Amino acid sequence: MIVAPASPGFSTTVEALRLHEWQLGPGRPTLVMDQFSADDFNVVVDDRADVHVNSKDGRFYLGWFPLGRPGTDGEGWKIAVTGTAKVRGYQVSFDTETPAEIVAATVARVLETARRV
């Protein structure tokens, strides 16, 4: 026996359809950078004023490119974690207009997953 759905499509409320105010613009990059301690990370500012952060073990990298990363189409942030012999690493990129709060939350989560071995 097959039962037909009560009504086709989807249902929602007027409240759910109201416009939201979304955070836009690059925000404050210090929210990202303030998460790194000199004990565990090296920070380098290059001649373009791009900022590069490496973990002391070399497995974590964060790059901030306020004017866009050279050779890309507006990449403003790059996070990379090097893999091991058995597990591949990963990379995450955000454009120059991604709010720093979003990047900071991502970095915080990546750092939370790190553990000393």
Side-chain angles (χ1 to χ4, degrees):
M1 176 178 184
I2 297 175
V3 177
S7 62
F10 67 95
S11 65
T12 189
T13 64
V14 171
E15 185 62 31
L17 294 175
R18 292 192 197 283
L19 291 176
H20 290 79
E21 195 170 301
W22 298 97
Q23 183 176 4
L24 299 173
R28 297 184 349 235
T30 55
L31 295 173
V32 178
M33 298 304 169
D34 288 349
Q35 297 182 69
F36 300 103
S37 70
D39 293 337
D40 295 320
F41 297 92
N42 300 311
V43 178
V44 174
V45 179
D46 67 20
D47 61 340
R48 284 179 22 102
D50 295 334
V51 179
H52 308 273
V53 179
N54 291 35
S55 61
K56 299 273 181 163
D57 68 2
R59 303 236 355 254
F60 172 88
Y61 170 80
L62 170 85
W64 175 46
F65 309 91
L67 301 176
R69 184 174 178 206
T72 68
D73 186 23
E75 183 178 69
W77 297 91
K78 178 74 154 191
I79 300 168
V81 177
T82 303
T84 65
K86 296 180 180 182
V87 180
R88 286 179 46 155
Y90 59 90
Q91 300 178 37
V92 179
S93 297
F94 299 95
D95 69 25
T96 56
E97 291 301 310
T98 301
E101 289 80 356
I102 303 299
V103 179
T106 303
V107 167
R109 187 64 188 123
V110 170
L111 295 177
E112 286 171 8
T113 65
R115 56 184 160 77
R116 293 193 186 273
V117 289

